[in-house]
Amino acid sequence: MSDRIDITLTINGERHDIRVEPRKTLADAIRDDCGWTGTHLGCEHGVCGACTVIVDGATVRSCLMFAVQADGASIRTVEGLAQGETLHPLQEAFIANHALQCGFCTPGFLMLAAGAIERNPRMSDAELIEVLSSNLCRCTGYENIVKAVRSAMNQMQA
Amino acid sequence: MTAEPRPAADPAPHTFGRPVARVEDDALLRGRARFVDDIHLPGLLEAAFVRSPHAHARIRSIDCEPARAAPGVVAVMTFDDLRDVLTSDRLVVAMPSPSYLLEVHRPILARHETVHVGEAIAVVIAASRYLAEDAAALVEVDYDPLPVVADCHAALAEGGARVHADLPHNVVAELDTAYGDVDAAFAGAAEVVEDRFWLHRGGSHSMECRGVVASLDPLEDRLTVWSSTQTPNVAQRLLCDLLARDSDAIRVVTPELGGGFGPKLVFYPEEAVVAASAVKLGRPVKWIEDRREHFVVTTQERDQHWEMAMALDAEGRVLGMRGSLLHDHGAYTARGTNVVFASAITVPLAYNVPAYRLASKLLLTNKVPVTPIRGAGQPQAAFVMERLLDQAARRLGLDRAEIRRRNLVQPEQMPCRKPMKLRGGTFVVLDSGDYPAAQRLVMEKAGWDDFPRRQAEARAQGRHIGLGLVNYVEGTGRGPFEPVRVRVAANGRIHVASSATAMGQGTKTMLAQVVAEQLGGAIENVVVTTGDTAAMTLGFGGFNSRQAVMAGSSAHAAAVKVRAKALEAAAHMLEARPDELTIVGTHIRMRGNNRTIGLGEVARALEGIAGYVLPGNLEPGLEATEQVIVHDMAFSNGSAVAEVEVDVETGHVQVLRYLLAHDCGQMINPMLVDGQVIGGIAHGIGNALFEWMGFDANAQPLTNNYGEYLLVTAPEMPSIELFHRESPSPLNTLGIKGVGESGVIPTPAVIASAVEDALQPFGVRISHAPLSPMDILDLIARADGA
Ligand code: FES
Ligand code: FES
């Protein structure tokens, strides 16, 4: 169990050479070993989606993946969304639509939405709600999250 | 009454009452906000708890030795190992009440007996959480299982099991709430309706679980505790007692909080154990609750069994109500009798009920303790009242809206003193509002009168749609006070500090808006500190929808004082009169010419120069601390309509529309108000249809993950239409009422009403929540057979 393995994760363009136990989750590696604490853990059993990150273009729940499975991968987390001081359109839309309250679920929703829009920039309302049904939020009642993602998607098309 | 107006010619932008963007958002959206689990300190150790697998057992022995030898382990401790740093083995947190029959304080770590699944028995401190959990599995506890009390009825059974083996019975408290001549009301009634109701247990499920980090600074001998608590000042006072330290020697900070919803106001054993461990080991210690732990050890609510009867005259006017309430209290008193207290006074609140008697029993069960969750006893009370009104309407052949109209408290009765008292001893006084107008508004927007036609059409197509209507009142702004300090620094920045505690509602934005309204209107120039005992020693924190009312009032009072002083000092410095000056952005300006002076310059002048008189001979410093005292509660109100469609083949209920006309007095930020209300509605839909915390006959939790315990997700949400009315509260200068729990209170009741309406052809009666699809099918089958 304690045999540690050397792996490399590239997170938001930054290379991290770390040594982890095989059982360490990707989420814990991102947060504890690499110091990117924007990714949150809400359930650690794959339902809430707070831990959603993008691994080599695919949106994944980082609590359900072992860090060693991501060896060599390029990972994007919420910290990588903004370009310097300029916020991503999704982040702008979350502010304008009051789509976050405590903000704990927000990184997961942002990465979920970012990945979905990249795959299909013209989601219908039904598709959008279907995608957003993957994650849990206890504060907002979802309405404003749906509005924010729709508005960012429309703006990104323009 | 509205906010004290500034001079009409004042050109500073308004921030009060506007939907300004939140000051909290930027850091949260960038992933830079610091939640408790984001705190990393050099040499940090992590804790895992050994927890009881039994709902009730004697603990014969605990063997920590195998765990102590495990890799990475620094300490494995039972209470006996921590005894030398703690002054008590119990958390004595119960609020005062004359109603207690038993004292049941929680142990910090259980020693001889465990009384609910998940109860902490020992702690393992290791180099990482992984290693701590490995070792926790090696702690050997020898249990002797004891008979279990799994619910309220079992708790009352003659000669039945006892939750605590050494207590004589399971009735922790009895409460009688009564006024008027109830028996006469029933004797003279034209109609009596009655039913039994059951509202089931759920959790709060903030997306962030609980957590605590404690670190002792040996140079200053100061312990800093970062805890995901809604009440850091209360936690600090408890920790000072438990660890026998001066108040300056413990600082409690609430970092960014990932939701609270009630249970995080409670002080928990883990907070005491982690703090004590950090002191004992001289190393920083962290414990983060995982979701499985949250399901079994974070406090829960809602489980209540009611029997209630309502007496009416032939016109549908309520003459009186009487009944009983059995409340599942869990295994310990982790807060008090307050949930039942709120339930009891809420039942008749929105209506004129001349006589009322409720006998409540708070019953121990072998389950995790019960404390307030968003709504705190009020959703259950609204459910009982509104279900009975529906039944009475049907019996009397009245429209459901009409029977409510005839009984609602009228605007000309305001302020309306009810013959019941708050827990502090003052009378319940509905402070303001036009309840019938709210009902009219929501009915009109919902197309209430036209609905029977739509319903008939739908039925002709085989669809079962239904409409429900419910009125509610929310008690907000629990006193007595919440302090706020406003200080202008020499660089012109405005610093606001309060014991108010942010848990996601936008508390910092709210305070910044109130203060900026008086001090130049530049929100970005205001820095707010909340939830830090080093910034404010007095105060309580966040619960009971109280902070906008209590801290908002104090912030306003302090900002008004600072404004007056700033203008007076500036008048002296600019050789003008204060009434010729105003604050715009970061500067004080003289009207009619271009003379200005920076707020920071004025603040600097008021810091003084040794040997010189202060400007205008004023007192030093440009700051003020206020703690406005209010004992009465501000009552928000509203009327909700829900439209549902029930699939009678599958039992599936879809909420199609939800309309709410609500009134929380003067709104500080309408955008945040909407957010609070919609979030509350989502929680209420969960309570109505999905959230069921299951236990088996041995009080073993059955639903310990989000596959089994269902939270509402995006597709379950209906389209929501909110309508604001603003009846200012006369209790505070700004006219504010709270809003945090408004959405949840009417929701289980209004969905039950709508489902019953949809299932009229089957004659189904709804008297419990949550309603699963299986429940619906079962109700239809039973009604069919009847
Ligand atoms: S933490 Fe990964 S899905 Fe909840
Ligand atoms: S904003 Fe708090 S959980 Fe989503």
Side-chain angles (χ1 to χ4, degrees):
Chain A
M1 193 123 56
S2 57
D3 288 345
R4 305 237 222 153
I5 297 176
D6 290 320
I7 61 169
T8 299
L9 304 178
T10 302
I11 304 178
N12 303 320
E14 209 172 281
R15 184 186 159 112
H16 295 268
D17 295 308
I18 57 174
R19 175 170 291 188
V20 296
E21 287 184 51
R23 62 174 171 170
K24 176 159 273 188
T25 65
L26 177 58
D28 286 346
I30 292 172
R31 289 177 49 82
D32 301 342
D33 298 70
C34 305
W36 299 90
T37 56
T39 301
H40 297 152
L41 289 163
C43 71
E44 295 175 89
H45 57 261
V47 185
C48 76
C51 64
T52 305
V53 298
I54 299 180
V55 178
D56 288 336
T59 38
V60 307
R61 306 200 159 200
S62 58
C63 74
L64 287 188
M65 196 167 167
F66 292 115
V68 291
Q69 294 174 291
D71 185 18
S74 169
I75 297 164
R76 284 153 61 204
T77 69
V78 67
E79 290 98 329
L81 273 184
Q83 300 296 315
E85 280 310 292
T86 311
L87 292 175
H88 187 279
L90 275 165
Q91 292 167 314
E92 294 283 4
F94 267 56
I95 295 175
N97 291 282
H98 186 30
L100 68 158
Q101 290 183 25
C102 78
F104 194 78
C105 69
T106 309
F109 271 101
L110 287 170
M111 299 319 286
L112 174 74
I117 293 173
E118 281 163 24
R119 279 191 301 280
N120 178 3
R122 292 173 199 286
M123 282 180 281
S124 68
D125 271 5
E127 286 169 322
L128 189 64
I129 289 175
E130 174 66 24
V131 165
L132 295 178
S133 76
S134 326
N135 284 15
L136 295 175
C137 171
R138 188 53 148 175
C139 299
T140 64
Y142 304 101
E143 185 169 288
N144 289 346
I145 297 178
V146 176
K147 276 190 203 158
V149 176
R150 187 190 294 130
S151 124
M153 181 175 70
N154 292 340
Q155 200 210 318
M156 286 161 78
Q157 286 166 14
Chain B
M1 197 169 13
T2 52
E4 283 166 24
R6 300 181 316 205
D10 195 327
H14 285 283
T15 55
F16 182 87
R18 309 293 152 107
V20 304
R22 302 198 325 161
V23 302
E24 293 88 349
D25 286 357
D26 190 76
L28 291 167
L29 285 162
R30 290 176 186 272
R32 284 184 193 161
R34 192 182 63 173
F35 294 87
V36 64
D37 194 17
D38 303 338
I39 295 170
H40 284 265
L41 300 169
L44 184 70
L45 300 172
E46 295 206 64
F49 285 86
V50 177
R51 300 189 178 280
S52 171
H54 296 283
H56 194 192
R58 199 175 309 285
I59 300 170
R60 287 193 219 234
S61 63
I62 308 170
D63 183 2
C64 297
E65 286 316 316
R68 288 192 175 119
V73 169
V74 174
V76 183
M77 297 182 283
T78 63
F79 179 79
D80 292 336
D81 300 301
L82 283 169
R83 182 196 297 275
D84 57 336
V85 290
L86 288 164
T87 59
S88 167
D89 62 349
R90 304 258 158 187
L91 301 179
V92 182
V93 295
M95 287 192 300
S97 162
S99 317
Y100 292 116
L101 303 175
L102 300 173
E103 271 191 0
V104 269
H105 303 308
R106 271 207 274 195
I108 290 173
L109 290 168
R111 297 161 75 198
H112 307 301
E113 184 184 15
T114 174
V115 291
H116 70 87
V117 170
E119 187 168 17
I121 292 169
V123 64
V124 177
I125 316 265
S128 76
R129 175 66 173 252
Y130 287 79
L131 295 172
E133 286 188 18
D134 288 347
L138 302 176
V139 173
E140 284 170 18
V141 186
D142 189 7
Y143 298 99
D144 188 4
L146 292 169
V148 169
V149 176
D151 65 40
C152 290
H153 298 301
L156 275 180
E158 200 69 47
R162 277 165 297 141
V163 171
H164 296 260
D166 57 354
L167 291 182
H169 56 81
N170 299 316
V171 186
V172 77
E174 283 180 339
L175 238 79
D176 281 316
T177 313
Y179 62 80
D181 190 342
V182 177
D183 295 329
F186 276 81
E191 196 67 70
V192 172
V193 290
E194 57 195 321
D195 206 347
R196 292 164 180 234
F197 303 98
W198 178 38
L199 290 305
H200 193 57
R201 237 182 214 251
S204 65
H205 294 287
S206 51
M207 280 296 106
E208 177 202 40
C209 291
R210 294 182 298 119
V212 52
V213 176
S215 176
L216 184 69
D217 177 344
L219 284 182
E220 295 186 356
D221 191 31
R222 184 155 88 150
L223 180 72
T224 302
V225 179
W226 294 267
S227 177
S228 61
T229 176
Q230 299 170 214
T231 55
N233 289 83
V234 177
Q236 189 239 18
R237 294 193 275 270
L238 283 163
L239 284 170
C240 286
D241 287 347
L242 282 171
L243 297 168
R245 295 177 77 83
D246 293 344
S247 58
D248 288 350
I250 298 185
R251 173 187 179 201
V252 178
V253 186
T254 300
E256 210 68 52
L257 207 56
F261 311 116
K264 286 181 181 171
L265 79 83
V266 174
F267 186 80
Y268 285 87
E270 293 90 350
E271 291 171 288
V273 170
V274 169
S277 302
V279 169
K280 183 155 176 104
L281 303 175
R283 303 251 322 248
V285 179
K286 174 195 268 192
W287 169 74
I288 301 297
E289 182 185 61
D290 67 27
R291 187 58 63 178
R292 201 189 143 77
E293 290 179 296
H294 186 85
F295 271 103
V296 294
V297 296
T298 289
T299 56
Q300 304 177 343
E301 205 218 292
R302 304 277 198 254
D303 219 345
Q304 293 185 344
H305 298 262
W306 295 70
E307 282 188 43
M308 204 74 194
M310 177 186 276
L312 303 106
D313 69 15
E315 275 75 52
R317 282 193 189 79
V318 179
L319 301 174
M321 296 179 72
R322 67 183 173 202
S324 64
L325 162 59
L326 304 182
H327 170 87
D328 179 347
H329 185 75
Y332 295 112
T333 299
R335 178 70 174 166
T337 60
N338 51 325
V339 171
V340 171
F341 209 98
S343 295
I345 63 173
T346 300
V347 171
L349 219 45
Y351 300 95
N352 287 309
V353 177
Y356 174 62
R357 187 171 70 227
L358 180 72
S360 309
K361 282 187 171 37
L362 284 73
L363 299 164
L364 292 170
T365 58
N366 288 115
K367 295 181 189 164
V368 65
V370 165
T371 69
I373 291 183
R374 194 176 207 171
Q378 299 169 103
Q380 297 97 312
F383 191 90
V384 168
M385 182 73 196
E386 300 289 331
R387 298 278 63 231
L388 285 173
L389 283 171
D390 276 4
Q391 199 190 131
R394 197 165 47 237
R395 195 76 73 72
L396 290 160
L398 283 172
D399 181 64
R400 288 174 293 162
E402 178 58 20
I403 197 168
R404 288 171 166 80
R405 194 189 64 77
R406 289 182 191 180
N407 288 289
L408 274 174
V409 170
Q410 298 296 308
E412 52 278 11
Q413 291 177 262
M414 297 294 179
C416 175
R417 189 172 115 161
K418 295 274 187 171
M420 295 184 287
K421 289 189 172 167
L422 297 173
R423 68 186 186 220
T426 52
F427 275 99
V428 175
V429 182
L430 301 172
D431 50 329
S432 66
D434 186 339
Y435 300 179
Q439 178 173 311
R440 277 197 304 279
L441 176 61
V442 79
M443 285 170 62
E444 177 198 313
K445 299 288 184 183
W448 179 266
D449 294 334
D450 184 47
F451 186 73
R453 185 191 58 77
R454 288 211 290 123
Q455 191 176 41
E457 274 176 25
R459 277 197 196 135
Q461 300 160 7
R463 292 174 53 223
H464 293 83
I465 59 173
L467 210 56
L469 168 70
V470 154
N471 296 295
Y472 73 93
V473 169
E474 178 196 356
T476 78
R478 178 84 65 190
F481 68 91
E482 200 69 34
V484 175
R485 181 173 55 250
V486 175
R487 179 172 71 87
V488 181
N491 64 357
R493 298 283 271 173
I494 299 164
H495 292 264
V496 179
S498 177
S499 48
T501 300
M503 44 186 139
Q505 337 83 309
T507 301
K508 290 184 181 180
T509 302
M510 177 273 289
L511 291 172
Q513 284 182 262
V514 170
V515 170
E517 178 72 16
Q518 300 300 326
L519 293 174
I523 288 254
E524 64 284 359
N525 192 39
V526 182
V527 186
V528 184
T529 305
T530 58
D532 181 348
T533 61
M536 188 64 75
T537 46
L538 278 175
F540 303 92
F543 49 90
N544 226 161
S545 301
R546 64 187 299 274
Q547 300 196 121
V549 182
M550 300 310 303
S553 295
S554 298
H556 175 69
V560 165
K561 270 202 177 161
V562 169
R563 175 186 174 86
K565 189 168 185 184
L567 294 184
E568 213 177 327
H572 186 82
M573 295 165 80
L574 292 173
E575 297 179 342
R577 293 192 320 271
D579 64 5
E580 293 173 307
L581 302 178
T582 188
I583 310 174
V584 181
T586 55
H587 282 74
I588 298 174
R589 275 201 210 156
M590 189 161 171
R591 271 188 284 272
N593 64 31
N594 54 9
R595 270 193 275 165
T596 71
I597 185 168
L599 266 177
E601 283 173 79
V602 175
R604 196 177 294 269
L606 286 171
E607 286 174 353
I609 300 171
Y612 293 82
V613 172
L614 287 156
N617 245 330
L618 289 165
E619 297 275 306
L622 187 48
E623 67 173 72
T625 302
E626 288 290 319
Q627 32 212 14
V628 174
I629 295 176
V630 186
H631 293 296
D632 289 333
M633 292 186 82
F635 287 91
S636 295
N637 72 284
S639 306
V641 166
E643 181 175 337
V644 303
E645 176 161 0
V646 184
D647 182 331
V648 299
E649 300 301 321
T650 63
H652 175 78
V653 175
Q654 184 71 36
V655 185
L656 303 172
R657 296 168 76 203
Y658 194 112
L659 301 92
L660 184 70
H662 83 105
D663 188 339
C664 59
Q666 165 72 48
M667 290 190 280
I668 302 174
N669 185 328
M671 178 182 84
L672 300 195
V673 166
D674 284 3
Q676 285 300 302
V677 173
I678 298 173
I681 291 172
H683 195 145
I685 292 175
N687 288 152
L689 298 172
F690 302 106
E691 294 185 39
W692 185 77
M693 183 66 212
F695 291 86
D696 72 8
N698 292 315
Q700 281 288 340
L702 298 172
T703 52
N704 290 341
N705 62 62
Y706 288 141
E708 290 154 345
Y709 187 94
L710 303 178
L711 294 179
V712 166
T713 64
E716 284 85 58
M717 286 302 287
S719 90
I720 291 178
E721 296 166 57
L722 301 181
F723 310 98
H724 301 297
R725 297 178 47 81
E726 292 186 72
S727 309
S729 173
L731 299 174
N732 59 75
T733 315
L734 296 175
I736 304 168
K737 302 178 176 186
V739 71
E741 297 161 276
S742 280
V744 77
I745 294 171
T747 303
V750 77
I751 290 175
S753 180
V755 169
E756 193 174 277
D757 185 46
L759 296 177
Q760 255 182 57
F762 303 92
V764 159
R765 300 286 165 258
I766 308 284
S767 51
H768 80 273
L771 282 170
S772 71
M774 259 133 64
D775 293 336
I776 300 269
L777 293 180
D778 193 46
L779 285 167
I780 292 174
R782 277 197 281 147
D784 257 359

